[in-house]
Amino acid sequence: MIRYSSVILTLLILACSPNKKDTAERIPDPPKEEAVIAEQDALKTEEVVEKTMLYDSSFVNLQKYADGFSYEMKYATADNFLKEKVYPCAECLVRKEVAEALVSANNELLGKGFRIKFFDCYRPLDVQKAMWEIFPNAKYVANPNTSASIHNRGAAVDITLEDLKGNQLDMGTAFDFFGQEAHHAYTNLPDTVLANRQLLKSTMENNGFRAITTEWWHYSFKSKFSYEPSNFKFECGE
């Protein structure tokens, strides 16, 4: 009976004793701050992977794709030469490779105390047709019945510059001013205006864009004609 009780006591002691292997493998949860940082890093990694998986020809929403830009999307308001709102929301869509080039150009400008401000990006073909009906002049509005606009292909942007406090630089005319004063060759302007235009033009050209002669604000990406015109509508909030 004594031997039997001793066996039971021994088994109870062993059962209550900590398992060395379990103790060694039990890792305490990281502090809350470290857990938050780890979660943020995971989200950043997921975002990088998602961007990497896109094709160069994929459309991206620039506001969600990259930070550091400014926006005043004119055709999402009535403050344009059409005198009416033609976009349901102020989205800036471009092809992925165009977005990357814009980020590069903007980084160059940020180092000088400026940033890109957008007036227009991708433009559905139906909107191009409406523009052509109002102002059928191929010097300023691309004919949607022939070549269409580079905007319709997601490879052109209408932009200006502003400083990092949000003050827009003087470019000599308003956006969508259809006259010789908006031409790159027009030089009867203050030196500061000419310098502002040259800063924008040289930076964009350094990063794969090309200007057109009649509009200081318009820049097309080098692979512009590798894409077909599109007519899909904006999906606001996507």
Side-chain angles (χ1 to χ4, degrees):
M1 183 69 178
I2 294 174
R3 180 177 299 176
Y4 180 70
S5 299
S6 298
V7 171
I8 293 175
L9 181 60
T10 301
L11 290 173
L12 288 172
I13 292 171
L14 289 173
C16 295
S17 299
N19 187 307
K20 292 183 179 180
K21 183 177 179 181
D22 290 345
T23 303
E25 291 182 352
R26 190 179 299 120
I27 301 173
D29 292 334
K32 188 174 182 180
E33 290 184 2
E34 291 183 14
V36 171
I37 293 172
E39 183 179 356
Q40 291 173 343
D41 288 343
L43 290 173
K44 289 179 182 178
T45 302
E46 182 180 343
E47 183 179 337
V48 170
V49 171
E50 183 179 346
K51 288 182 179 180
T52 304
M53 293 175 65
L54 292 170
Y55 293 106
D56 283 345
S57 60
S58 301
F59 275 95
V60 299
N61 185 329
L62 194 59
Q63 291 105 313
K64 297 179 180 179
Y65 191 83
D67 297 324
F69 297 108
S70 178
Y71 300 90
E72 187 182 347
M73 306 302 290
K74 289 293 190 178
Y75 299 111
T77 73
D79 183 21
N80 57 68
F81 80 98
L82 299 172
K83 304 303 180 185
E84 62 177 292
K85 176 181 176 179
V86 292
Y87 295 166
C89 47
E91 304 287 10
C92 176
L93 305 181
V94 291
R95 305 283 182 169
K96 176 179 176 286
E97 65 172 344
V98 179
E100 292 291 347
L102 287 166
V103 170
S104 178
N106 202 49
N107 286 340
E108 186 176 328
L109 288 163
L110 288 170
K112 299 175 182 179
F114 304 102
R115 65 188 169 206
I116 294 173
K117 180 177 183 177
F118 290 90
F119 294 134
D120 195 24
C121 302
Y122 161 70
R123 181 188 305 157
L125 191 59
D126 282 346
V127 176
Q128 192 70 29
K129 292 177 180 178
M131 290 181 174
W132 183 253
E133 288 181 7
I134 292 173
F135 199 78
N137 185 332
K139 287 184 177 180
Y140 301 100
V141 178
N143 187 341
N145 304 309
T146 56
S147 63
S149 172
I150 310 304
H151 284 286
N152 307 144
R153 304 168 192 270
V157 290
D158 292 336
I159 58 177
T160 190
L161 295 178
E162 67 177 26
D163 64 25
L164 301 186
K165 294 181 179 180
N167 300 306
Q168 190 168 303
L169 273 60
D170 187 358
M171 293 294 181
T173 75
F175 167 65
D176 267 356
F177 177 86
F178 300 138
Q180 64 174 346
E181 292 85 353
H183 295 196
H184 282 284
Y186 188 81
T187 58
N188 187 22
L189 295 165
D191 289 343
T192 53
V193 171
L194 295 175
N196 292 341
R197 288 189 182 185
Q198 181 57 34
L199 174 61
L200 178 58
K201 187 171 184 286
S202 61
T203 303
M204 296 302 287
E205 289 179 342
N206 287 344
N207 291 277
F209 291 87
R210 297 291 179 267
I212 60 174
T213 59
T214 55
E215 298 174 354
W216 59 258
W217 55 83
H218 177 101
Y219 287 91
S220 300
F221 195 58
K222 58 186 177 182
S223 59
K224 56 188 178 182
F225 287 116
S226 63
Y227 307 120
E228 292 296 320
S230 295
N231 195 37
F232 68 87
K233 304 303 185 286
F234 293 93
E235 295 189 11
C236 301
E238 290 296 322

